[in-house]
Amino acid sequence: MTRITLVQGDITRQSVDAIVNAANSSLLGGGGVDGAIHRRGGPAILAECRKLRAGHLGRGLPTGQAVATTAGELDARWVIHTVGPVYSQSLDRSELLVSCYRESLRRADELGARTVAFPAISTGVYGWPMDDGARIAVATVRETDTAVEEVRFVLFDERAYEAFTSALT
Ligand code: AR6
């Protein structure tokens, strides 16, 4: 059984096997969690992302998929980059958000990661409502068959922490 834990704080300060990054398709960095991970993890992460772009991800990483790189100087072995959907009022893109969590856990299993830290994917720049993002995150982890022992949601502020607390109970 996968244990779900909640922490309020900065995901780049976590000690886990894998840290999940809420990236964009370019894999070349951005703001939010992505910016923080590249800043604290150092240039090795970007160097590997560039190699992926020069190789099989020439057009970038599609929304809902996940790919792993080194974690550079972070206290983790891997960063798993996934691309969340931009929230839309008119289209239901929740399957893509489900896919981010599921595919990240699949990558974690391939790597043998047992502890994985996730941010609240898509709930920042990409505009996903926090309560719904939390519900999808928790439900998807519960429904996914994985060897990961601990999924730690690392929530940046109290509002996010409370949304995940309600989703969990
Ligand atoms: N630790 C944990 N959570 C964080 C941190 C942190 N250091 N920093 C922000 N958050 P976002 P998205 C929270 O915008 O919505 C980037 O530019 C934040 O409060 O990082 O998936 C990418 O390159 C929010 O709840 O990711 C993409 O272009 C959550 O993390 C785009 O943003 C996600 O916010 C992706 O947007």
Side-chain angles (χ1 to χ4, degrees):
M1 251 291 271
T2 308
R3 188 160 35 98
I4 298 178
T5 56
L6 307 182
V7 170
Q8 189 180 329
D10 181 345
I11 202 166
T12 68
R13 300 286 187 177
Q14 302 299 309
S15 307
V16 282
D17 292 333
I19 292 176
V20 175
N21 182 19
N24 60 63
S25 289
S26 81
L27 293 178
L28 302 178
V33 183
D34 197 8
I37 283 175
H38 281 285
R39 256 193 319 278
R40 191 168 296 276
I45 301 174
L46 188 58
E48 236 184 277
C49 287
R50 285 194 201 283
K51 276 192 199 149
L52 289 169
R53 288 300 310 278
H56 75 290
L57 292 177
R59 292 186 188 163
L61 182 66
T63 304
Q65 298 195 16
V67 70
T69 66
T70 174
E73 292 158 35
L74 296 171
D75 191 9
R77 294 175 68 186
W78 304 282
V79 169
I80 297 172
H81 307 261
T82 189
V83 182
V86 175
Y87 182 72
S88 161
Q89 302 260 16
S90 51
L91 288 172
D92 180 7
R93 295 192 171 136
S94 51
E95 264 314 308
L96 288 167
L97 188 54
V98 166
S99 177
C100 287
Y101 289 101
R102 205 192 282 140
E103 291 301 304
S104 296
L105 289 170
R106 206 158 65 83
R107 292 287 174 219
D109 282 340
E110 286 170 4
L111 296 163
R114 291 292 177 262
T115 53
V116 179
F118 278 94
I121 299 165
S122 286
T123 65
V125 174
Y126 283 177
W128 207 284
M130 183 59 77
D131 289 344
D132 196 54
R135 182 187 62 74
I136 290 170
V138 168
T140 305
V141 170
R142 280 181 171 153
E143 285 159 15
T144 302
D145 186 24
T146 170
V148 171
E149 289 161 7
E150 182 192 357
V151 164
R152 190 182 306 167
F153 289 110
V154 183
L155 296 326
F156 209 40
D157 55 25
E158 203 174 324
R159 194 173 64 87
Y161 184 85
E162 279 166 6
F164 274 73
T165 303
S166 336
L168 209 50
T169 51

Coordinates of all heavy atoms in Angstrom, one line a residue, residues 45-137:
I45 N 20.6 19.3 -14.5 CA 19.3 18.9 -14.9 C 18.9 19.4 -16.3 O 18.5 18.7 -17.1 CB 18.2 19.4 -13.8 CG1 18.6 18.8 -12.4 CG2 16.8 19.0 -14.2 CD1 17.7 19.3 -11.3
L46 N 19.2 20.7 -16.4 CA 19.0 21.3 -17.7 C 19.8 20.7 -18.9 O 19.3 20.4 -20.0 CB 19.3 22.8 -17.7 CG 18.8 23.6 -18.9 CD1 17.4 23.5 -19.2 CD2 19.2 25.1 -18.7
A47 N 21.0 20.3 -18.5 CA 21.9 19.6 -19.5 C 21.2 18.3 -20.0 O 21.2 18.0 -21.2 CB 23.2 19.4 -18.9
E48 N 20.6 17.6 -19.1 CA 20.0 16.3 -19.4 C 18.7 16.6 -20.2 O 18.3 15.8 -21.1 CB 19.7 15.5 -18.2 CG 20.4 14.1 -18.4 CD 20.1 13.2 -17.2 OE1 20.8 13.3 -16.2 OE2 19.1 12.4 -17.3
C49 N 18.0 17.6 -19.8 CA 16.7 18.0 -20.5 C 17.1 18.3 -22.0 O 16.4 17.9 -22.9 CB 16.0 19.1 -19.8 SG 15.2 18.7 -18.3
R50 N 18.1 19.1 -22.2 CA 18.5 19.4 -23.5 C 18.9 18.2 -24.4 O 18.6 18.1 -25.6 CB 19.8 20.4 -23.5 CG 19.5 21.8 -23.1 CD 20.6 22.7 -23.4 NE 20.6 23.9 -22.6 CZ 19.8 24.9 -22.8 NH1 19.0 24.9 -23.8 NH2 19.8 26.0 -22.0
K51 N 19.5 17.2 -23.7 CA 19.8 16.0 -24.4 C 18.5 15.3 -24.9 O 18.5 14.7 -25.9 CB 20.7 15.1 -23.6 CG 22.1 15.4 -23.6 CD 23.0 14.3 -22.9 CE 24.3 14.8 -22.6 NZ 24.9 14.1 -21.4
L52 N 17.6 15.3 -24.0 CA 16.3 14.6 -24.3 C 15.6 15.3 -25.5 O 15.1 14.7 -26.4 CB 15.3 14.7 -23.1 CG 15.7 13.8 -21.9 CD1 14.8 14.1 -20.7 CD2 15.5 12.3 -22.3
R53 N 15.7 16.7 -25.5 CA 15.2 17.4 -26.6 C 15.9 17.2 -27.9 O 15.4 17.2 -29.0 CB 15.2 18.9 -26.3 CG 14.1 19.4 -25.2 CD 12.7 19.0 -25.6 NE 12.4 19.5 -27.0 CZ 12.1 20.8 -27.3 NH1 11.9 21.7 -26.3 NH2 11.8 21.1 -28.5
A54 N 17.2 16.9 -27.8 CA 18.0 16.6 -29.0 C 17.8 15.2 -29.5 O 18.1 14.8 -30.6 CB 19.5 16.9 -28.7
G55 N 17.2 14.4 -28.6 CA 17.0 13.0 -28.9 C 15.5 12.7 -29.2 O 14.9 13.4 -30.1
H56 N 14.9 11.8 -28.5 CA 13.6 11.3 -28.8 C 12.5 12.3 -28.5 O 11.3 12.1 -28.9 CB 13.3 9.9 -28.2 CG 13.0 10.0 -26.7 ND1 14.0 10.2 -25.8 CD2 11.9 9.7 -26.1 CE1 13.4 10.2 -24.6 NE2 12.2 9.9 -24.7
L57 N 12.8 13.3 -27.7 CA 11.8 14.3 -27.4 C 12.0 15.6 -28.2 O 11.8 16.7 -27.6 CB 11.7 14.6 -25.9 CG 11.3 13.4 -25.0 CD1 11.3 13.7 -23.6 CD2 9.8 13.0 -25.4
G58 N 12.3 15.5 -29.4 CA 12.6 16.6 -30.3 C 11.5 17.7 -30.3 O 11.8 18.9 -30.4
R59 N 10.3 17.2 -30.2 CA 9.1 18.2 -30.2 C 8.7 18.5 -28.8 O 7.6 19.1 -28.6 CB 7.9 17.6 -31.0 CG 8.2 17.4 -32.4 CD 6.9 16.9 -33.1 NE 7.2 16.6 -34.5 CZ 6.3 15.9 -35.2 NH1 5.2 15.4 -34.6 NH2 6.6 15.6 -36.4
G60 N 9.4 18.1 -27.8 CA 9.0 18.4 -26.5 C 8.3 17.2 -25.8 O 7.9 16.3 -26.5
L61 N 8.0 17.4 -24.5 CA 7.3 16.3 -23.8 C 5.8 16.7 -23.9 O 5.4 17.7 -23.4 CB 7.8 16.3 -22.3 CG 7.1 15.2 -21.4 CD1 7.5 13.9 -21.9 CD2 7.6 15.5 -20.0
P62 N 5.0 15.7 -24.4 CA 3.5 16.0 -24.5 C 2.9 16.1 -23.1 O 3.3 15.5 -22.1 CB 3.0 14.8 -25.2 CG 4.2 14.2 -26.0 CD 5.3 14.5 -25.1
T63 N 1.8 16.9 -23.0 CA 1.0 17.0 -21.8 C 0.6 15.7 -21.3 O 0.1 14.8 -22.1 CB -0.2 17.9 -22.1 OG1 0.3 19.2 -22.6 CG2 -1.0 18.2 -20.8
G64 N 0.7 15.5 -20.0 CA 0.3 14.2 -19.4 C 1.3 13.1 -19.4 O 1.1 12.1 -18.8
Q65 N 2.5 13.4 -20.0 CA 3.5 12.4 -20.0 C 4.6 12.7 -19.0 O 4.6 13.8 -18.4 CB 4.1 12.2 -21.4 CG 3.0 11.6 -22.3 CD 3.5 11.1 -23.6 OE1 4.7 10.8 -23.7 NE2 2.6 10.9 -24.5
A66 N 5.5 11.8 -18.7 CA 6.6 12.1 -17.7 C 7.9 11.5 -18.2 O 7.9 10.4 -18.9 CB 6.2 11.4 -16.4
V67 N 9.0 12.1 -17.8 CA 10.3 11.7 -18.2 C 11.3 12.0 -17.0 O 11.1 13.0 -16.3 CB 10.8 12.3 -19.5 CG1 11.0 13.8 -19.3 CG2 12.0 11.6 -20.1
A68 N 12.3 11.1 -16.8 CA 13.2 11.3 -15.7 C 14.5 11.8 -16.1 O 15.0 11.5 -17.2 CB 13.3 10.0 -14.9
T69 N 15.1 12.6 -15.2 CA 16.5 13.0 -15.4 C 17.2 12.9 -14.0 O 16.6 12.6 -13.0 CB 16.7 14.5 -15.8 OG1 16.2 15.4 -14.7 CG2 15.9 14.8 -17.1
T70 N 18.5 13.2 -14.0 CA 19.2 13.3 -12.7 C 18.5 14.4 -11.9 O 17.8 15.3 -12.4 CB 20.7 13.8 -13.0 OG1 21.3 14.1 -11.8 CG2 20.7 15.1 -13.9
A71 N 18.8 14.4 -10.6 CA 18.3 15.4 -9.7 C 19.4 16.5 -9.4 O 19.2 17.4 -8.6 CB 17.8 14.8 -8.4
G72 N 20.6 16.3 -10.1 CA 21.6 17.3 -9.8 C 22.0 17.4 -8.4 O 22.2 16.4 -7.7
E73 N 22.0 18.6 -7.9 CA 22.4 18.9 -6.5 C 21.2 18.7 -5.5 O 21.4 19.0 -4.3 CB 23.0 20.2 -6.4 CG 24.4 20.3 -7.1 CD 24.8 21.6 -7.4 OE1 24.6 22.6 -6.6 OE2 25.5 21.8 -8.5
L74 N 20.0 18.4 -5.9 CA 18.9 18.2 -5.0 C 19.2 16.9 -4.2 O 19.9 16.0 -4.6 CB 17.6 18.0 -5.8 CG 17.2 19.2 -6.6 CD1 16.0 18.9 -7.5 CD2 16.8 20.4 -5.7
D75 N 18.5 16.8 -3.0 CA 18.7 15.6 -2.2 C 17.7 14.5 -2.6 O 16.8 14.2 -1.9 CB 18.4 16.0 -0.7 CG 18.9 14.9 0.2 OD1 19.5 14.0 -0.3 OD2 18.6 15.0 1.4
A76 N 17.9 14.1 -3.9 CA 17.1 13.1 -4.5 C 18.0 12.4 -5.6 O 19.0 12.9 -5.9 CB 15.9 13.7 -5.1
R77 N 17.5 11.3 -6.1 CA 18.3 10.6 -7.1 C 17.8 11.1 -8.5 O 18.5 11.1 -9.5 CB 18.2 9.1 -7.0 CG 18.9 8.7 -5.7 CD 18.7 7.2 -5.5 NE 19.4 6.4 -6.5 CZ 19.3 5.0 -6.5 NH1 18.5 4.4 -5.7 NH2 19.9 4.4 -7.4
W78 N 16.5 11.4 -8.6 CA 15.9 11.7 -9.9 C 14.9 12.9 -9.8 O 14.3 13.0 -8.8 CB 15.2 10.5 -10.5 CG 16.0 9.3 -10.6 CD1 16.9 9.0 -11.6 CD2 15.9 8.1 -9.8 NE1 17.5 7.8 -11.4 CE2 16.9 7.2 -10.3 CE3 15.2 7.8 -8.7 CZ2 17.1 6.0 -9.7 CZ3 15.4 6.5 -8.1 CH2 16.4 5.7 -8.6
V79 N 14.8 13.6 -10.9 CA 13.7 14.5 -11.1 C 12.8 13.9 -12.2 O 13.4 13.5 -13.2 CB 14.1 15.9 -11.5 CG1 12.9 16.7 -11.9 CG2 14.8 16.6 -10.3
I80 N 11.5 13.7 -11.9 CA 10.6 13.2 -12.9 C 9.8 14.4 -13.4 O 9.1 15.1 -12.6 CB 9.7 12.2 -12.3 CG1 10.5 10.9 -11.9 CG2 8.6 11.8 -13.4 CD1 9.7 9.9 -11.2
H81 N 10.0 14.8 -14.7 CA 9.4 16.0 -15.3 C 8.1 15.5 -15.9 O 8.0 14.6 -16.7 CB 10.2 16.6 -16.3 CG 11.6 16.9 -15.9 ND1 12.0 18.2 -15.5 CD2 12.7 16.1 -15.7 CE1 13.3 18.1 -15.1 NE2 13.8 16.9 -15.2
T82 N 7.0 16.2 -15.6 CA 5.7 16.0 -16.2 C 5.1 17.3 -16.6 O 5.4 18.3 -16.0 CB 4.8 15.1 -15.3 OG1 3.6 14.7 -16.0 CG2 4.3 15.9 -14.0
V83 N 4.2 17.2 -17.6 CA 3.6 18.5 -18.1 C 2.1 18.4 -17.8 O 1.4 17.6 -18.4 CB 3.9 18.6 -19.6 CG1 3.3 20.0 -20.1 CG2 5.3 18.6 -19.9
G84 N 1.7 19.3 -16.9 CA 0.3 19.3 -16.6 C -0.5 20.1 -17.7 O 0.1 20.8 -18.5
P85 N -1.8 19.8 -17.7 CA -2.7 20.6 -18.7 C -2.9 22.0 -18.1 O -3.0 22.2 -16.9 CB -4.0 19.8 -18.7 CG -4.0 19.1 -17.3 CD -2.6 18.9 -16.9
V86 N -3.1 22.9 -19.1 CA -3.6 24.3 -18.7 C -5.0 24.1 -18.4 O -5.8 23.5 -19.2 CB -3.3 25.3 -19.9 CG1 -3.9 26.6 -19.6 CG2 -1.8 25.4 -20.2
Y87 N -5.5 24.7 -17.4 CA -6.9 24.6 -17.0 C -7.8 25.3 -18.1 O -7.5 26.4 -18.6 CB -7.2 25.2 -15.7 CG -8.7 25.1 -15.2 CD1 -9.1 23.8 -14.9 CD2 -9.5 26.2 -15.2 CE1 -10.5 23.7 -14.5 CE2 -10.9 26.0 -14.9 CZ -11.3 24.7 -14.5 OH -12.6 24.6 -14.2
S88 N -8.9 24.6 -18.4 CA -9.9 25.2 -19.3 C -11.3 25.2 -18.7 O -11.7 24.1 -18.2 CB -9.9 24.4 -20.6 OG -11.0 24.7 -21.4
Q89 N -12.0 26.2 -18.9 CA -13.4 26.3 -18.4 C -14.3 25.5 -19.3 O -15.3 24.9 -18.8 CB -14.0 27.7 -18.4 CG -13.1 28.7 -17.6 CD -13.8 29.0 -16.2 OE1 -14.7 28.3 -15.8 NE2 -13.3 30.1 -15.6
S90 N -14.0 25.4 -20.6 CA -14.9 24.9 -21.6 C -14.6 23.4 -21.9 O -15.4 22.7 -22.4 CB -14.8 25.7 -22.8 OG -13.5 25.9 -23.2
L91 N -13.3 23.0 -21.7 CA -12.9 21.6 -22.0 C -12.6 20.9 -20.7 O -11.9 21.5 -19.8 CB -11.7 21.6 -22.9 CG -11.9 22.0 -24.3 CD1 -10.5 22.2 -25.0 CD2 -12.7 21.1 -25.1
D92 N -12.9 19.6 -20.6 CA -12.5 18.8 -19.4 C -11.2 18.2 -19.7 O -11.1 17.2 -20.4 CB -13.6 17.8 -19.1 CG -13.2 17.0 -17.9 OD1 -12.2 17.3 -17.2 OD2 -13.9 16.0 -17.6
R93 N -10.2 18.7 -19.1 CA -8.8 18.2 -19.3 C -8.3 17.3 -18.2 O -7.2 17.1 -18.0 CB -7.8 19.3 -19.6 CG -8.1 20.1 -20.8 CD -6.9 21.0 -21.2 NE -7.2 21.6 -22.5 CZ -6.9 22.9 -22.8 NH1 -6.5 23.7 -21.9 NH2 -7.1 23.3 -24.0
S94 N -9.3 16.9 -17.3 CA -8.9 16.2 -16.1 C -8.1 14.9 -16.4 O -7.3 14.5 -15.6 CB -10.0 16.0 -15.1 OG -11.1 15.5 -15.8
E95 N -8.5 14.2 -17.5 CA -7.8 13.0 -17.8 C -6.3 13.2 -18.0 O -5.4 12.4 -17.7 CB -8.3 12.3 -19.0 CG -9.4 11.2 -18.7 CD -8.9 10.2 -17.5 OE1 -7.8 9.7 -17.6 OE2 -9.7 10.1 -16.6
L96 N -5.9 14.4 -18.5 CA -4.5 14.7 -18.7 C -3.8 14.9 -17.3 O -2.6 14.6 -17.1 CB -4.3 15.9 -19.6 CG -4.7 15.7 -21.0 CD1 -4.8 17.0 -21.8 CD2 -3.6 14.8 -21.7
L97 N -4.6 15.5 -16.4 CA -4.0 15.7 -15.1 C -3.8 14.4 -14.3 O -2.8 14.1 -13.7 CB -4.8 16.7 -14.2 CG -4.2 17.1 -12.9 CD1 -2.8 17.7 -13.1 CD2 -5.2 18.2 -12.2
V98 N -4.8 13.5 -14.5 CA -4.7 12.1 -14.0 C -3.5 11.5 -14.5 O -2.7 10.9 -13.8 CB -6.0 11.3 -14.3 CG1 -5.8 9.8 -14.1 CG2 -7.2 11.8 -13.5
S99 N -3.3 11.6 -15.8 CA -2.2 11.0 -16.5 C -0.8 11.5 -16.0 O 0.1 10.7 -15.9 CB -2.3 11.3 -18.0 OG -1.2 10.8 -18.7
C100 N -0.7 12.7 -15.6 CA 0.6 13.2 -15.0 C 1.0 12.4 -13.8 O 2.1 12.0 -13.7 CB 0.4 14.7 -14.6 SG 0.4 15.8 -16.0
Y101 N 0.0 12.2 -12.9 CA 0.3 11.5 -11.7 C 0.6 10.0 -12.0 O 1.5 9.4 -11.5 CB -0.8 11.6 -10.7 CG -0.9 13.1 -10.1 CD1 -1.8 14.0 -10.6 CD2 0.0 13.5 -9.1 CE1 -1.9 15.3 -10.1 CE2 0.0 14.8 -8.6 CZ -1.0 15.7 -9.1 OH -1.0 16.9 -8.6
R102 N -0.2 9.5 -12.9 CA -0.1 8.0 -13.2 C 1.3 7.8 -13.9 O 2.0 6.9 -13.5 CB -1.3 7.6 -14.1 CG -1.6 6.2 -14.0 CD -2.5 5.8 -15.1 NE -3.9 6.2 -14.8 CZ -4.7 6.7 -15.8 NH1 -4.3 6.9 -17.0 NH2 -6.0 7.0 -15.4
E103 N 1.5 8.6 -14.9 CA 2.8 8.4 -15.7 C 4.0 8.7 -14.8 O 5.1 8.0 -15.0 CB 2.8 9.3 -16.9 CG 1.8 8.8 -17.9 CD 2.0 7.4 -18.4 OE1 3.1 7.1 -18.9 OE2 1.1 6.6 -18.3
S104 N 3.9 9.6 -13.9 CA 5.1 9.9 -13.0 C 5.3 8.7 -12.1 O 6.5 8.3 -11.9 CB 4.8 11.2 -12.2 OG 4.7 12.3 -13.0
L105 N 4.3 8.1 -11.6 CA 4.4 6.9 -10.8 C 5.0 5.7 -11.6 O 5.7 4.9 -11.1 CB 3.1 6.5 -10.1 CG 2.7 7.5 -9.0 CD1 1.3 7.2 -8.5 CD2 3.7 7.5 -7.8
R106 N 4.6 5.7 -12.8 CA 5.1 4.6 -13.7 C 6.6 4.8 -13.9 O 7.4 3.8 -13.8 CB 4.4 4.6 -15.0 CG 4.3 3.3 -15.7 CD 3.2 3.2 -16.7 NE 3.4 4.2 -17.8 CZ 4.1 4.0 -18.9 NH1 4.7 2.8 -19.0 NH2 4.2 4.9 -19.8
R107 N 7.0 6.0 -14.1 CA 8.5 6.3 -14.3 C 9.2 5.9 -13.0 O 10.3 5.4 -12.9 CB 8.7 7.7 -14.6 CG 8.3 8.2 -15.9 CD 9.2 7.6 -17.0 NE 8.6 8.0 -18.3 CZ 8.7 7.2 -19.4 NH1 9.2 6.0 -19.3 NH2 8.1 7.5 -20.5
A108 N 8.6 6.3 -11.9 CA 9.2 6.0 -10.5 C 9.4 4.5 -10.4 O 10.4 4.1 -9.9 CB 8.3 6.6 -9.4
D109 N 8.4 3.7 -10.8 CA 8.5 2.3 -10.7 C 9.6 1.8 -11.6 O 10.4 0.9 -11.2 CB 7.2 1.6 -11.1 CG 6.1 1.7 -9.9 OD1 6.5 1.9 -8.8 OD2 4.9 1.5 -10.2
E110 N 9.7 2.3 -12.8 CA 10.8 1.9 -13.7 C 12.2 2.1 -13.0 O 13.1 1.4 -13.2 CB 10.7 2.7 -15.0 CG 9.6 2.2 -15.9 CD 9.4 3.1 -17.1 OE1 10.1 4.1 -17.3 OE2 8.4 2.9 -17.8
L111 N 12.3 3.3 -12.3 CA 13.6 3.6 -11.7 C 13.8 2.9 -10.4 O 14.9 2.8 -10.0 CB 13.5 5.1 -11.4 CG 13.4 6.1 -12.6 CD1 13.0 7.5 -12.2 CD2 14.8 6.1 -13.4
G112 N 12.8 2.4 -9.8 CA 12.9 1.8 -8.5 C 12.8 2.8 -7.4 O 13.3 2.5 -6.3
A113 N 12.2 3.9 -7.6 CA 12.0 4.9 -6.6 C 11.0 4.5 -5.6 O 9.9 4.0 -6.0 CB 11.7 6.3 -7.2
R114 N 11.3 4.6 -4.3 CA 10.3 4.2 -3.3 C 9.6 5.4 -2.6 O 8.6 5.2 -2.0 CB 11.0 3.3 -2.3 CG 11.4 2.0 -2.8 CD 10.2 1.1 -3.1 NE 10.6 -0.2 -3.8 CZ 10.6 -0.4 -5.1 NH1 10.2 0.5 -5.9 NH2 11.0 -1.6 -5.5
T115 N 10.3 6.5 -2.6 CA 9.7 7.7 -2.1 C 9.7 8.8 -3.1 O 10.7 9.1 -3.8 CB 10.5 8.2 -0.8 OG1 11.8 8.4 -1.2 CG2 10.4 7.2 0.3
V116 N 8.5 9.4 -3.3 CA 8.3 10.4 -4.4 C 7.6 11.6 -3.9 O 6.5 11.5 -3.3 CB 7.5 9.8 -5.6 CG1 7.3 10.8 -6.7 CG2 8.2 8.5 -6.1
A117 N 8.2 12.8 -4.2 CA 7.5 14.0 -3.8 C 6.9 14.7 -5.0 O 7.5 14.8 -6.1 CB 8.5 15.0 -3.2
F118 N 5.6 15.0 -4.8 CA 4.8 15.7 -5.9 C 4.4 17.1 -5.5 O 4.0 17.3 -4.4 CB 3.5 15.0 -6.2 CG 3.6 13.8 -7.0 CD1 3.7 12.5 -6.5 CD2 3.4 13.9 -8.4 CE1 3.7 11.4 -7.3 CE2 3.5 12.7 -9.2 CZ 3.6 11.5 -8.6
P119 N 4.5 18.1 -6.4 CA 3.8 19.4 -6.2 C 2.4 19.2 -6.6 O 2.0 18.2 -7.2 CB 4.6 20.3 -7.1 CG 4.9 19.4 -8.3 CD 5.1 18.0 -7.8
A120 N 1.6 20.2 -6.4 CA 0.2 20.3 -6.9 C 0.2 20.7 -8.3 O 0.1 21.9 -8.7 CB -0.7 21.2 -6.0
I121 N 0.4 19.7 -9.2 CA 0.6 20.0 -10.7 C -0.6 20.8 -11.2 O -1.8 20.5 -10.9 CB 0.7 18.6 -11.4 CG1 1.9 17.8 -10.9 CG2 0.8 18.8 -12.9 CD1 1.9 16.4 -11.3
S122 N -0.2 21.7 -12.1 CA -1.2 22.6 -12.8 C -1.9 23.7 -12.0 O -2.7 24.4 -12.5 CB -2.3 21.8 -13.6 OG -1.7 21.2 -14.7
T123 N -1.7 23.7 -10.7 CA -2.5 24.6 -9.8 C -1.9 26.0 -9.7 O -2.4 26.8 -8.9 CB -2.7 24.0 -8.4 OG1 -1.5 23.9 -7.7 CG2 -3.4 22.7 -8.5
G124 N -0.8 26.2 -10.4 CA -0.1 27.5 -10.3 C -0.4 28.3 -11.6 O -1.5 28.7 -11.9
V125 N 0.7 28.5 -12.3 CA 0.6 29.2 -13.6 C -0.5 28.6 -14.5 O -1.1 29.4 -15.3 CB 2.0 29.1 -14.4 CG1 1.9 29.7 -15.7 CG2 3.1 29.8 -13.5
Y126 N -0.7 27.3 -14.5 CA -1.7 26.7 -15.4 C -3.1 26.8 -14.9 O -4.0 26.3 -15.6 CB -1.3 25.2 -15.7 CG -0.1 25.1 -16.6 CD1 0.4 23.8 -17.0 CD2 0.4 26.2 -17.3 CE1 1.5 23.7 -17.9 CE2 1.5 26.1 -18.2 CZ 2.0 24.8 -18.5 OH 3.0 24.7 -19.4
G127 N -3.3 27.4 -13.8 CA -4.7 27.8 -13.4 C -5.7 26.8 -12.9 O -6.9 27.1 -12.8
W128 N -5.3 25.6 -12.6 CA -6.2 24.6 -12.2 C -6.7 24.9 -10.8 O -5.9 25.2 -9.9 CB -5.6 23.2 -12.1 CG -6.6 22.1 -12.4 CD1 -7.6 21.7 -11.5 CD2 -6.9 21.4 -13.6 NE1 -8.4 20.7 -12.0 CE2 -8.0 20.5 -13.3 CE3 -6.3 21.4 -14.9 CZ2 -8.5 19.7 -14.3 CZ3 -6.8 20.5 -15.8 CH2 -7.9 19.7 -15.5
P129 N -8.1 24.9 -10.5 CA -8.6 25.2 -9.2 C -8.0 24.2 -8.2 O -8.0 23.0 -8.4 CB -10.1 25.0 -9.3 CG -10.4 25.2 -10.8 CD -9.1 24.6 -11.5
M130 N -7.5 24.8 -7.1 CA -6.8 24.0 -6.1 C -7.6 22.8 -5.6 O -7.1 21.7 -5.5 CB -6.3 24.9 -4.9 CG -5.4 24.2 -3.9 SD -3.9 23.4 -4.6 CE -2.9 24.9 -4.8
D131 N -8.8 23.0 -5.2 CA -9.6 21.9 -4.6 C -9.8 20.7 -5.6 O -9.6 19.6 -5.2 CB -11.0 22.4 -4.2 CG -10.9 23.3 -2.9 OD1 -9.9 23.3 -2.3 OD2 -11.9 24.0 -2.7
D132 N -10.0 21.1 -6.8 CA -10.2 20.0 -7.8 C -8.8 19.3 -8.1 O -8.8 18.1 -8.3 CB -10.8 20.6 -9.1 CG -11.3 19.6 -10.0 OD1 -12.2 18.7 -9.5 OD2 -10.9 19.5 -11.2
G133 N -7.8 20.1 -8.2 CA -6.4 19.6 -8.4 C -6.0 18.6 -7.3 O -5.4 17.6 -7.6
A134 N -6.4 19.0 -6.1 CA -6.1 18.2 -4.9 C -6.9 16.9 -5.0 O -6.3 15.8 -4.7 CB -6.4 18.9 -3.6
R135 N -8.1 17.0 -5.3 CA -9.0 15.8 -5.4 C -8.5 14.8 -6.4 O -8.3 13.6 -6.2 CB -10.4 16.2 -5.8 CG -11.4 15.1 -5.9 CD -12.8 15.7 -6.4 NE -12.7 16.2 -7.7 CZ -12.6 15.5 -8.9 NH1 -12.6 14.2 -8.8 NH2 -12.5 16.1 -10.0
I136 N -8.1 15.3 -7.6 CA -7.6 14.5 -8.7 C -6.3 13.8 -8.3 O -6.0 12.6 -8.5 CB -7.5 15.3 -10.0 CG1 -8.8 15.6 -10.5 CG2 -6.6 14.5 -11.0 CD1 -8.8 16.6 -11.7
A137 N -5.4 14.6 -7.6 CA -4.1 14.1 -7.2 C -4.2 12.9 -6.3 O -3.7 11.9 -6.5 CB -3.3 15.2 -6.6

